Amino acid sequence: MSKVRVLVGTKKGAFILTADGQRQNWEISGPHFAGWELYHLKGSPVDPNRIYASQSSGWFGQLIQRSDDGGKTWNPPGTKLEELMGPDGMPKGGTSNMFAYEGEVGTHKWYDGTQHPWEFKRVWHIEPSLTDPDTAYAGVEDAAIFKTTDGGKTWKELAGLRGAKGHLWQPGAGGMAVHTIIIDPKNPKRIYIAISAAGAFRTEDGGLTWKPINRGLKSQYELPDADAEVGHCVHRIALHPSRPEVLFMQKHWDIMRSDNAGDQWSEVSGNLPTDFGFPIDVHFHEPETIYVVPITSDSLHYPPDGKLRVYRSKTGGNEWEALTKGLPQKDCYVNVLRDAMAVDSLDDCGIYFGTTGGQVYCSPDGGDTWQAIAEHLPAVLSVEVQTLKS
Amino acid sequence: MIRVVLPFHLRNLARVEGEVDLEVSSPVTIRSVLDALEAKYPVLCGTMRDHGTLKRRPFVRFFACKEDLSLEPQETPLPEAVRNGAEPFLIVGAMAGG
């Protein structure tokens, strides 16, 4: 019998929701790290008990937490005294929360058009390696990607990313962060990342060098040059593991698709009521079945008409159907953030998302029906799912 | 012995209750107290001051003997009452309105 573990990051702590494979009866543990912002938690695909978490606060900055027992206990990696003794026998400081940009810090474009130095603010997303539980990538604000190979004790920037026209990147209203990291399951040297508001980028050499992959994106309302090479506000990218060269994107506006690893994009918004939104994800067993949550507009971050509707396309875009059964269809004015949707690998595939109103919804049947599995949490920042063998 | 009072979230991180007692060699300054605190509780590194620059984080304040020492140079000697343990050195999360 399988079971699922849902990792929920919120504005005021983390929560872990568990259920058996039926996904009907849920237990909630938490808040973990009560009072802190948990931008993201994610488990290692090769060791599900190894979970990384990004914990931050406006007062006390960034921490990385790690659990090696499936979320029962947590420690910032490498901060136990016995792990930190220097050659002189004196303890050295913990560095699991040290995200230092490599070399010359450099500058990026600021709101007033001047150049502004990169300043680390927080970790938005942690992507564990597909093969090594001690290796993970961190997407941070101001936009950069870091890598650990020692389980999170130390982090080193892959500075080539900021070399991809970083001086032209400019923060959007939500900040300038690497919020999406996807490792190609067939070629771990190939990694995709996305930045608001710079666009999507790809490396073919494990992170040494990167190139923008934004051809075909059009941002006529956000950029003076609608077809610019960088500057697009990409909200999320998703792929199916069996076809990692096919990418789906929720841009600020527009649902996009690429069939050649991001070299060229085309719009597949089709009949959506609005193509603004944040998350996008792919059914675990059906590579052409994708999910989005349309949001009214960039000015109105809530669902159209007060109806919370997930839209599903079984044709890889263009043709969309509203999924409403079990979701509030009146007076609903929550948002669903970019990292707050996930799928499990059970059959039927479970779809999960969290809202800024503190609800977490689960559909155990690919989106046909939904139930709230948590209803009164703090605003949900991220949702990840682990499918476990019990 | 130097007595230090941590804010709620840093007490939780350090897994301590109540005040923290520190041995700090002379001169007892803001910096030497923070150095000793981070050495004893490495999890606090980077939470009160930045890695590298060691600049105080903007919303962390340092109080002692009813004085706000947050803007004083970190080499500033702490008051005698803190040095002899009569008064604690307070690390405080700044008030947030709204």
Side-chain angles (χ1 to χ4, degrees):
Chain A
M1 184 68 175
S2 297
K3 64 178 186 177
V4 290
R5 182 160 62 212
V6 182
L7 309 173
V8 181
T10 81
K11 291 277 277 188
K12 294 293 177 187
F15 298 83
I16 299 178
L17 286 54
T18 50
D20 64 22
Q22 299 300 311
R23 293 158 289 181
Q24 296 298 320
N25 300 309
W26 292 85
E27 291 184 8
I28 301 176
S29 79
H32 305 270
F33 323 112
W36 293 74
E37 291 185 306
L38 269 291
Y39 264 59
H40 194 223
L41 305 91
K42 191 159 187 178
S44 163
V46 282
D47 177 5
N49 281 331
R50 166 68 61 88
I51 303 171
Y52 293 93
S54 169
Q55 172 189 10
S56 65
S57 118
W59 287 266
F60 306 116
Q62 178 69 48
L63 287 140
I64 297 295
Q65 295 278 356
R66 196 183 84 198
S67 175
D68 293 324
D69 56 11
K72 294 186 185 76
T73 61
W74 297 85
N75 281 294
T79 54
K80 292 178 185 167
L81 280 176
E82 59 272 24
E83 294 179 282
L84 289 166
M85 289 299 172
D88 56 358
M90 291 297 291
K92 300 184 297 181
T95 55
S96 59
N97 59 350
M98 185 172 175
F99 291 86
Y101 295 106
E102 285 288 311
E104 279 289 309
V105 171
T107 59
H108 61 81
K109 206 169 173 184
W110 195 233
Y111 299 102
D112 61 4
T114 62
Q115 287 289 302
H116 189 82
W118 249 267
E119 296 168 339
F120 173 79
K121 296 184 178 65
R122 62 178 60 80
V123 173
W124 279 51
H125 183 97
I126 302 175
E127 190 66 28
S129 157
L130 303 179
T131 54
D132 173 18
D134 280 339
T135 295
Y137 299 88
V140 313
E141 179 187 2
D142 287 340
I145 184 169
F146 287 75
K147 181 179 183 181
T148 181
T149 55
D150 57 12
K153 293 179 189 173
T154 59
W155 297 84
K156 184 174 173 56
E157 188 194 4
L158 303 177
L161 174 61
R162 289 191 296 130
K165 300 184 183 292
H167 64 290
L168 296 176
W169 304 352
Q170 190 171 21
M176 188 177 78
V178 171
H179 51 66
T180 300
I181 302 171
I182 305 175
I183 305 165
D184 185 328
K186 293 185 177 175
N187 173 11
K189 294 269 186 194
R190 173 182 276 183
I191 303 171
Y192 304 96
I193 66 100
I195 300 169
S196 292
F201 298 81
R202 188 181 75 208
T203 178
E204 302 282 355
D205 55 17
L208 291 175
T209 60
W210 299 77
K211 74 169 198 174
I213 49 167
N214 300 304
R215 192 174 299 145
L217 305 186
K218 294 193 182 299
S219 300
Q220 60 270 38
Y221 304 116
E222 295 89 31
L223 293 174
D225 172 5
D227 304 302
E229 187 176 15
V230 298
H232 300 274
C233 194
V234 176
H235 283 182
R236 192 68 175 169
I237 300 174
L239 60 71
H240 190 275
S242 70
R243 292 190 320 182
E245 72 285 359
V246 179
L247 302 177
F248 299 100
M249 175 192 291
Q250 170 70 67
K251 196 164 69 65
H252 197 75
W253 294 96
D254 302 334
I255 313 297
M256 308 296 293
R257 173 189 178 120
S258 171
D259 289 294
N260 50 17
D263 286 341
Q264 181 70 41
W265 296 88
S266 57
E267 186 176 354
V268 292
S269 302
N271 62 332
L272 286 171
T274 158
D275 57 12
F276 187 90
F278 292 95
I280 187 166
D281 218 330
V282 186
H283 190 288
F284 190 81
H285 306 292
E286 301 171 12
E288 287 290 298
T289 299
I290 55 178
Y291 300 84
V292 296
V293 184
I295 294 298
T296 305
S297 72
D298 52 357
S299 301
L300 303 173
H301 282 195
Y302 47 73
D305 307 319
K307 300 176 179 178
L308 183 55
R309 291 168 290 185
V310 175
Y311 276 72
R312 176 174 63 193
S313 170
K314 293 189 172 183
T315 54
N318 286 321
E319 299 164 27
W320 298 87
E321 58 178 324
L323 308 173
T324 61
K325 196 171 178 183
L327 297 175
Q329 294 305 298
K330 66 173 187 173
D331 305 327
C332 182
Y333 293 93
V334 298
N335 194 2
V336 180
L337 300 180
R338 72 188 83 234
D339 230 347
M341 179 178 258
V343 303
D344 69 31
S345 60
L346 293 173
D347 191 11
D348 278 345
C349 177
I351 319 294
Y352 304 79
F353 70 93
T355 77
T356 55
Q359 300 88 26
V360 180
Y361 291 98
C362 166
S363 169
D365 50 16
D368 291 341
T369 62
W370 298 84
Q371 65 161 324
I373 59 175
E375 291 190 85
H376 305 291
L377 304 183
V380 174
L381 302 174
S382 65
V383 173
E384 294 286 355
V385 186
Q386 296 178 283
T387 310
L388 308 168
K389 295 188 178 93
S390 56
Chain B
M1 191 70 74
I2 306 297
R3 297 160 52 202
V4 177
V5 175
L6 293 171
F8 172 81
H9 285 305
L10 298 191
R11 286 202 305 275
N12 285 345
L13 274 182
R15 296 178 182 169
V16 297
E17 294 178 0
E19 293 181 357
V20 171
D21 293 332
L22 296 174
E23 294 283 359
V24 182
S25 52
S26 188
V28 178
T29 64
I30 295 172
R31 171 163 295 169
S32 66
V33 169
L34 296 177
D35 287 346
L37 187 60
E38 291 177 353
K40 189 171 182 179
Y41 302 102
V43 70
L44 299 181
C45 290
T47 63
M48 301 171 290
R49 51 186 183 170
D50 290 338
H51 283 291
T53 68
L54 299 183
K55 274 178 59 179
R56 176 181 57 84
R57 290 188 55 78
F59 298 135
V60 173
R61 314 295 294 184
F62 304 135
F63 299 164
C65 302
K66 300 185 179 178
E67 298 286 337
D68 183 353
L69 306 178
S70 308
L71 302 180
E72 299 296 325
Q74 290 197 18
E75 292 74 23
T76 304
L78 290 175
E80 171 63 22
V82 174
R83 297 203 300 272
N84 65 25
E87 289 284 336
F89 178 70
L90 283 80
I91 299 171
V92 178
M95 278 187 286

